[in-house]
Structures are given as C-alpha cells and as structure tokens.
Amino acid sequence: NVEPRSVAVFPWHSLVPFLAPSQPD
Amino acid sequence: PPITSSHLPSHFMKGAIIQLATGELKRVEDLQTQDFVRSAEVSGGLKIDSSTVVDIQESQWPGFVMLHFVVGEQQSKVSIEVPPEHPFFVYGQGWSSCSPGRTAQLFSLPCHRLQVGDVCISISLQSLN
C-alpha cells in the first residue's frame, strides 16, 4: 500500500514573469 | 537584483503540479499556450501580455543574462536579469530558455532555445479604465 503524500501545487501565474513597464509620471 | 536560481527549482521542475485559474491541475511540462490565456481570462485583475525578446546580453552579474523585451500593445521596453536556465513560455512553442541544456540538467524540463524575436507570455495588472 502506498501512503498518500501531500504534493505542492503552484499557481499558474508563478510560472510567467510579471513584466509591467514603469508608469510615466 | 536579478532573480536567483534559488527561487526557481520547485515550480519549474518537471512533474511540478500547476493549478490553472479554472481549478484544473496540470504538470508544468504539459502546459500549453491556451492554458495561460484561459487562466488570465478567468482571473480577476491579471492580463496576459505578449512580450517579444528584442535582445539577449550578458549581465553585469556573473552567471546571469539580461533579457530585453517589448511588452504589450504599448510596446513598452522592459529588461530583466535571470539565470540562463530560467524558462519562459513562448507562444505556440512552449518552454524556452537561454540555456536549454542547463534547464534540462537542473529541472529536467525540456526546453527550446530562447531567441531574439520569440514572443513570450507575461502577465501584468489589468488596467481599471
């Protein structure tokens, strides 16, 4: 018998860069 | 400071379980362009941008590369420094990095070589107007 183990789950948005241009004043 | 490798391993490791915004679970290596697009659609406040690689240079930080993108409809210039094994998701192609061999070695994640002209998926905050 294999004991169930907890598995980490990562949100989709952690895989893509957040590329936000700096806002002009 | 650049993104360091210590931030990378777990979620880019082959077999890592990723939860889409729809609730669906997929392995990182099985993700497709449409998974990101659909996730952004159902996410409140986030939008997908197309970020085109316009230049790849050595960074002033040893062991890093400087990537230059033009982002979104505004064609804004954004530069980031990452280790060469950092994977980016390219539209219609999938995971790509500046050093596919190193990505395979560290994460077992099959990658294409990231090149100038590739269009990567990135996210930004959705404009409120």
Side-chain angles (χ1 to χ4, degrees), chain B residues 88-109:
Chain B
F88 292 86
F89 201 92
V90 173
Y91 276 92
Q93 174 171 284
W95 292 112
S96 306
S97 76
C98 294
S99 178
R102 209 167 143 70
T103 309
Q105 190 182 5
L106 291 173
F107 309 131
S108 302
L109 182 68

Side-chain angles (χ1 to χ4, degrees), chain A residues 7-24, chain B residues 10-12 17-19 21 31 36 39 43 51 76 121-125:
Chain A
V7 176
V9 177
F10 301 95
W12 70 276
H13 52 76
S14 67
L15 297 170
V16 286
F18 185 89
L19 296 183
S22 51
Q23 297 293 318
Chain B
S10 40
H11 49 303
F12 287 121
I17 306 295
I18 307 301
Q19 183 164 40
L31 292 171
F36 293 100
S39 283
S43 290
S51 297
S76 312
I121 288 177
S122 67
I123 49 174
S124 62
L125 290 178

Side-chain angles (χ1 to χ4, degrees), chain A residues 15-22, chain B residues 3 49-57 65-83 86-91 96-98 114-123:
Chain A
L15 297 170
V16 286
F18 185 89
L19 296 183
S22 51
Chain B
I3 300 166
D49 279 323
S50 301
S51 297
T52 304
V53 180
V54 291
D55 199 10
I56 301 172
Q57 298 174 322
V65 289
M66 171 86 88
L67 298 175
H68 301 271
F69 294 94
V70 290
V71 179
E73 293 173 1
Q74 305 291 322
Q75 297 282 284
S76 312
K77 293 177 181 173
V78 177
S79 300
I80 58 171
E81 291 181 290
V82 294
H86 191 297
F88 292 86
F89 201 92
V90 173
Y91 276 92
S96 306
S97 76
C98 294
L114 188 68
Q115 300 182 75
V116 169
D118 283 348
V119 182
C120 300
I121 288 177
S122 67
I123 49 174

